[in-house]
Amino acid sequence: MQLMLPSRISRRALLATLAALVALPPLLLFTAAQAQTDPLPSWNNGPAKQAIIEFVQVTTDRTNSKFVPPEARIATFDQDGTTWVEHPMYTQVMYCLERVPAVVEKKPELKNVEPFKTVLSGNREAIAKLPTKELLKILAVTLSGMTVDEFKAEATKWVTAAKHPRWDRLYTELTYQPMLEAMQYMRQNGYKTYIVTGGGQDFVRVYANRVYGIPPEQIVGTVGATQYGYGKNGKPFLTKEAKLLLNDDGTGKPAGIHMMIGVRPIIAFGNSTGDRQMLEYTKAGGGARLALLVLHDDAAREYAYGPAQGLPDTKVGKFTQALFDEAKRDGWLVISMKNDWKRIFAFE
Amino acid sequence: MQLMLPSRISRRALLATLAALVALPPLLLFTAAQAQTDPLPSWNNGPAKQAIIEFVQVTTDRTNSKFVPPEARIATFDQDGTTWVEHPMYTQVMYCLERVPAVVEKKPELKNVEPFKTVLSGNREAIAKLPTKELLKILAVTLSGMTVDEFKAEATKWVTAAKHPRWDRLYTELTYQPMLEAMQYMRQNGYKTYIVTGGGQDFVRVYANRVYGIPPEQIVGTVGATQYGYGKNGKPFLTKEAKLLLNDDGTGKPAGIHMMIGVRPIIAFGNSTGDRQMLEYTKAGGGARLALLVLHDDAAREYAYGPAQGLPDTKVGKFTQALFDEAKRDGWLVISMKNDWKRIFAFE
C-alpha cells in the first residue's frame, strides 16, 4: 500500500491520519477500497447475486443482528459441477482412466481383466457404459500403491497437460469465473473458504491453491488411508492404501466437514444430490445461513442436465426434481447458469 | 495498538514515521516491537531456548538460505505431556472414567459388567490397574452414542469444573507456560500451530481455542466416525459412532497430519514414543527442520518418568532410552523440564 500525501499538510491532519491508520485493522481498510467496485462482475444482476452480496454485508456488519464473527465465517464449495466442469465425466475419473496404461505396464496381469481391458481398448462408448462398481476398481488401482509424493508428482504432471475434449483446454481452465469471484469476495470479507468434494483430497490439493487460492488444509475430500514406512535409506514415507476412510459425498459431507473443520459452515454451494446433506446441515444452524445450488441449464455455453425442471437426465452430477423442490421449500437459492452468469469461463 | 508520541515532534520525523508504518507489513511491525523483549521468558537460557529462537529467526529471514515461506511454516505440538500434564493419567481418560456413572444410569445393564463395575467401585488402585483393552471399552462407551452437540456440551461442562488431584486446579490450568509462549512466538512469526494428539479431536476442540489459541480446524487428533441423521423435527444432526477412523498415535500421527493438513511440518514437539514417527516425518523433509522432545525429569515441580536416562518407568507417556538415543543420533533436541523451564505453570 502506498499513500499519496499532499505536499503541504498540517501536523494536526497528519496526526489524525496516523491515528486512523493505526486504529483500523487491515481488513477494514481493504473493504472500504473494495466497496467502490462490483465484487461479482461475472454475475448478472438477479436474486442469486443479490443474495450473496446481502449475505456477506449483513454477516460482516457489526451493527447488524446477523453479524457473524470472523472465526465462524466458514464457506464451503462443492467442486465438480459447482466450481468447475464435470461433464462428460468427473475430471479425476478422467485422470484415473488415463493412468490405466501406466498401471497395467507395472501390473501386466491386469491387461486381460475387466474393467482394465475395456479401458485399454480405447472404446469410448464402452468405457462410458462401465458401471460404478467397475469404475471404483479403476479408482482403487490408480489412486493407491504409490507414495504420497509419487502420487503428487504424477497428478501434477497430468493436471498441467491433460485437456478437456470439448474446449481443448486444461481442466483447470474450466473453473467457473463467477464462483472464483464469489470465493475471493468472501475471503476479502474475512471468510475462510473450503472445497468440500467427493473427489480425492490428495488430487484436489495438487492444484487448489493455484486455481482457487485454497490451501491444502482447506480441502475436504474423499480420504484414503496412508501407511507409514521406511525406505532403504531409512527415510520415512507415506504410502496411499486402497482403504477408504471417508467417502465425502452425500451424508459423508457433513461428516467430513465435522472431521476436517469442526465448525458448521454458514454458507454452502453445491449442484447435485451429493450436496444435499451439506446444504441441509449448513442451513440447520442458528443465525444467518445461505445454501445455493448451481443448475446446469445452459447447453450452449456449458451443459444442460437435471433431471430437475425437465432438463436431460444424467449419471454425472444428478440434480433431481426432489432436490429442486427441497431447495424451494427450505429457501435455498438455485443459481441458473443461463440467467445468473454473465460469463462462465475466464477465457471467454 | 496504541502509539505513544512525544509532545514535540518535527513534521519531518512524523512523515518519516508515517512512511515507515505504511510501508511495513503488520507482521514486521509486530516483530520489530517484539525484538525488544524476550519472546520465551519462561525458558532458561540454554540449548533448547536458543534452538527455537534461532530456528524462528532463520526461517523468517528472507535473506537467509533457510527462509521458509509463510504457507510452509507448519508447527505441530503433541498435547499430553507436551503442552499439559498427563500424569497420573491422560486428562481425557479421567473424563471418560468420570462419565461412567452417567452412562450406566442410561444403560443399567453395564452396572455389573467389567470394566464398568470396577470404575463404579471407586477403588483407585483397581482402576489404575485396568489393562488398555478394558480402558478402550470405557472410551468407546463414553465417547459415542450421543450427538456431536451433546458431547460438546458434556465435555465443556466437565472441562470447566473437573480438577487435577495433585494441584486441585482445572486441567486446563495445567498447561505448560513455556509451550504456550513457544506457540505464541511462532504464530507471531507467521507460523500456523497445530495440536497433533492421540486424544480425541472433538474433546480437544472443546477448549483448544481458549487455552492454546488454536481453532478447531487445527486440531489433529484421534477421529471416530459420525453418522448423519434427522431428528423428529426434521433437523439433521451428527451422532458419534464407536468406529475408529484414525488412531492419531505413533504411525497414525504422520497419517493424521497428511489427512488434516496435507503439508509436512517443519517443526514438531513431542514427549513420548507415540510422537516418534511425527518427529521422524518432520525431520525427513528438506530445508530447515527442528524436532524437540520434552523430558519429564522434574518430580518436584511436575513429574519424573522415562524410563530414559534412568528415570522411573511409566505406562503413561513412555520416553524410552531408544527414543532418547534416536533423538541424539538424529539431532533432535531434548528439553529438560528441570533445566530448560524457569517456570512450568502460569499460576506459579
Side-chain angles (χ1 to χ4, degrees):
Chain A
M1 188 169 78
Q2 288 206 328
L3 272 197
M4 297 297 283
L5 287 175
S7 57
R8 279 160 180 267
I9 187 164
S10 74
R11 192 187 142 204
R12 186 181 208 133
L14 251 176
L15 271 172
T17 310
L18 182 54
L21 266 174
V22 169
L24 279 176
L27 190 68
L28 282 180
L29 277 175
F30 193 83
T31 312
Q34 277 299 107
Q36 308 292 330
T37 56
D38 181 352
L40 302 176
S42 297
W43 294 69
N44 287 317
N45 290 323
K49 177 174 182 168
Q50 193 184 336
I52 295 170
I53 291 178
E54 270 184 23
F55 187 79
V56 169
Q57 283 175 346
V58 299
T59 54
T60 55
D61 175 1
R62 286 191 177 274
T63 66
N64 196 296
S65 63
K66 291 187 174 168
F67 174 76
V68 176
E71 65 272 19
R73 289 183 206 154
I74 304 289
T76 55
F77 296 81
D78 165 59
Q79 180 181 240
D80 296 307
T82 299
T83 61
W84 76 353
V85 171
E86 64 183 346
H87 269 217
M89 181 41 80
Y90 304 114
T91 304
Q92 189 177 356
V93 174
M94 292 305 296
Y95 167 76
C96 292
L97 291 171
E98 294 184 18
R99 281 294 302 165
V100 167
V103 168
V104 170
E105 204 170 303
K106 282 192 184 172
K107 297 183 181 177
E109 69 274 18
L110 296 176
K111 201 175 172 179
N112 293 308
V113 178
E114 288 300 352
F116 305 97
K117 197 176 159 186
T118 296
V119 175
L120 290 170
S121 77
N123 180 340
R124 283 196 182 192
E125 219 167 297
I127 295 169
K129 279 186 191 155
L130 284 171
T132 306
K133 205 181 126 195
E134 296 292 288
L135 273 181
L136 287 176
K137 285 184 194 167
I138 294 167
L139 266 58
V141 161
T142 53
L143 298 175
S144 68
M146 70 292 286
T147 71
V148 157
D149 291 338
E150 283 164 0
F151 173 77
K152 191 176 174 183
E154 283 161 8
T156 302
K157 199 174 150 192
W158 187 84
V159 159
T160 49
K163 291 184 173 178
H164 189 284
R166 173 164 162 187
W167 286 275
D168 195 33
R169 286 183 178 270
L170 298 177
Y171 289 95
T172 50
E173 290 182 83
L174 299 173
T175 45
Y176 305 136
Q177 183 62 21
M179 294 306 264
L180 296 178
E181 289 169 6
M183 285 178 173
Q184 204 185 355
Y185 174 50
M186 278 183 247
R187 287 195 294 263
Q188 286 168 352
N189 283 279
Y191 275 79
K192 212 160 173 178
T193 53
Y194 285 83
I195 295 284
V196 178
T197 174
Q201 207 159 269
D202 285 347
F203 184 79
V204 181
R205 281 170 169 169
V206 161
Y207 54 82
N209 215 343
R210 177 172 56 84
V211 172
Y212 301 120
I214 299 186
E217 68 271 23
Q218 284 161 235
I219 305 302
V220 181
T222 292
V223 186
T226 57
Q227 179 66 50
Y228 186 81
Y230 301 92
K232 282 177 189 163
N233 56 4
K235 270 211 172 187
F237 57 85
L238 290 170
T239 303
K240 286 171 74 66
E241 293 189 299
K243 183 187 160 196
L244 194 65
L245 289 189
L246 175 80
N247 180 9
D248 196 51
D249 194 41
T251 60
K253 289 204 175 193
I257 288 169
H258 178 69
M259 177 172 83
M260 295 287 295
I261 314 177
V263 180
R264 197 191 292 254
I266 62 168
I267 178 168
F269 295 79
N271 79 300
S272 76
T273 51
D275 302 311
R276 182 186 149 205
Q277 290 86 351
M278 173 169 76
L279 270 57
E280 290 173 346
Y281 182 67
T282 300
K283 284 281 284 182
R289 302 276 151 181
L290 194 58
L292 305 101
L293 283 168
V294 176
L295 182 67
H296 293 257
D297 56 359
D298 193 336
R301 295 190 299 168
E302 203 244 13
Y303 293 97
Y305 52 94
Q309 302 296 90
L311 291 163
D313 199 358
T314 178
K315 280 201 298 181
V316 177
K318 197 184 272 286
F319 189 145
T320 60
Q321 189 59 38
L323 182 66
F324 191 92
D325 294 341
E326 181 171 356
K328 289 291 155 192
R329 198 170 57 239
D330 294 345
W332 309 354
L333 273 168
V334 174
I335 300 165
S336 159
M337 250 178 154
K338 194 171 181 176
N339 301 320
D340 286 313
W341 288 359
K342 194 182 291 176
R343 191 166 70 144
I344 295 185
F345 303 113
F347 57 78
E348 280 175 24
Chain B
M1 188 166 83
Q2 287 204 328
L3 272 197
M4 297 296 285
L5 286 174
S7 58
R8 279 161 178 267
I9 187 164
S10 75
R11 193 188 139 202
R12 187 183 208 130
L14 251 177
L15 271 172
T17 308
L18 183 54
L21 267 173
V22 169
L24 282 175
L27 191 68
L28 283 180
L29 274 177
F30 196 83
T31 312
Q34 276 299 106
Q36 309 291 329
T37 56
D38 182 353
L40 301 175
S42 297
W43 294 68
N44 287 317
N45 289 324
K49 177 174 182 168
Q50 194 184 336
I52 295 169
I53 292 179
E54 270 184 23
F55 188 80
V56 169
Q57 283 175 347
V58 300
T59 54
T60 55
D61 174 2
R62 286 191 178 275
T63 67
N64 195 296
S65 64
K66 290 186 174 170
F67 174 77
V68 175
E71 66 270 20
R73 290 183 206 154
I74 305 290
T76 56
F77 296 81
D78 166 58
Q79 180 182 239
D80 296 308
T82 299
T83 62
W84 74 356
V85 171
E86 65 184 345
H87 269 217
M89 182 40 80
Y90 305 113
T91 303
Q92 190 178 356
V93 174
M94 292 304 297
Y95 168 76
C96 293
L97 291 171
E98 295 184 16
R99 283 294 302 165
V100 167
V103 169
V104 170
E105 204 170 304
K106 281 192 184 172
K107 296 184 180 175
E109 68 274 18
L110 296 177
K111 201 175 173 178
N112 293 307
V113 177
E114 289 297 354
F116 305 98
K117 198 177 158 186
T118 296
V119 175
L120 290 171
S121 76
N123 181 339
R124 283 196 182 193
E125 219 168 295
I127 295 168
K129 279 185 189 154
L130 286 171
T132 306
K133 204 181 128 195
E134 296 293 288
L135 273 181
L136 288 176
K137 284 184 195 166
I138 295 167
L139 267 57
V141 162
T142 53
L143 298 174
S144 68
M146 71 291 287
T147 70
V148 157
D149 291 338
E150 283 164 0
F151 173 77
K152 192 178 173 181
E154 284 160 8
T156 301
K157 200 174 148 190
W158 186 85
V159 157
T160 49
K163 291 185 173 175
H164 190 284
R166 174 165 163 186
W167 286 275
D168 195 33
R169 286 183 177 270
L170 297 177
Y171 289 94
T172 49
E173 290 182 82
L174 299 173
T175 44
Y176 305 136
Q177 184 60 22
M179 296 304 266
L180 297 178
E181 290 168 6
M183 286 178 172
Q184 204 186 356
Y185 174 50
M186 278 183 244
R187 287 196 293 264
Q188 285 169 352
N189 283 280
Y191 275 79
K192 212 161 173 178
T193 53
Y194 285 84
I195 295 284
V196 179
T197 174
Q201 207 159 271
D202 286 347
F203 184 78
V204 181
R205 281 169 169 170
V206 161
Y207 54 83
N209 215 343
R210 178 172 54 83
V211 172
Y212 301 120
I214 299 185
E217 68 272 24
Q218 284 161 238
I219 305 301
V220 181
T222 292
V223 186
T226 57
Q227 179 66 49
Y228 186 82
Y230 301 91
K232 282 175 188 163
N233 56 5
K235 268 211 173 187
F237 58 84
L238 290 171
T239 303
K240 286 172 74 67
E241 292 189 299
K243 184 186 159 195
L244 193 66
L245 288 188
L246 175 80
N247 180 9
D248 196 49
D249 194 42
T251 59
K253 288 206 174 190
I257 288 169
H258 178 69
M259 176 172 84
M260 294 288 295
I261 316 177
V263 179
R264 197 192 293 252
I266 62 168
I267 177 167
F269 295 78
N271 79 300
S272 76
T273 50
D275 302 311
R276 182 186 151 204
Q277 290 85 352
M278 172 170 76
L279 271 56
E280 290 173 345
Y281 182 66
T282 300
K283 284 281 285 183
R289 300 278 153 180
L290 192 59
L292 305 100
L293 282 169
V294 176
L295 182 67
H296 293 257
D297 56 359
D298 194 336
R301 294 190 299 169
E302 204 243 11
Y303 293 98
Y305 50 95
Q309 301 297 91
L311 291 163
D313 200 359
T314 179
K315 280 201 298 182
V316 177
K318 199 185 269 287
F319 189 146
T320 60
Q321 188 58 40
L323 182 66
F324 191 92
D325 294 342
E326 181 170 356
K328 290 292 155 191
R329 197 170 56 240
D330 294 346
W332 309 355
L333 272 168
V334 174
I335 300 165
S336 159
M337 247 177 158
K338 193 172 181 175
N339 302 319
D340 286 313
W341 288 358
K342 193 182 294 177
R343 192 166 69 144
I344 295 185
F345 303 113
F347 58 78
E348 280 174 21

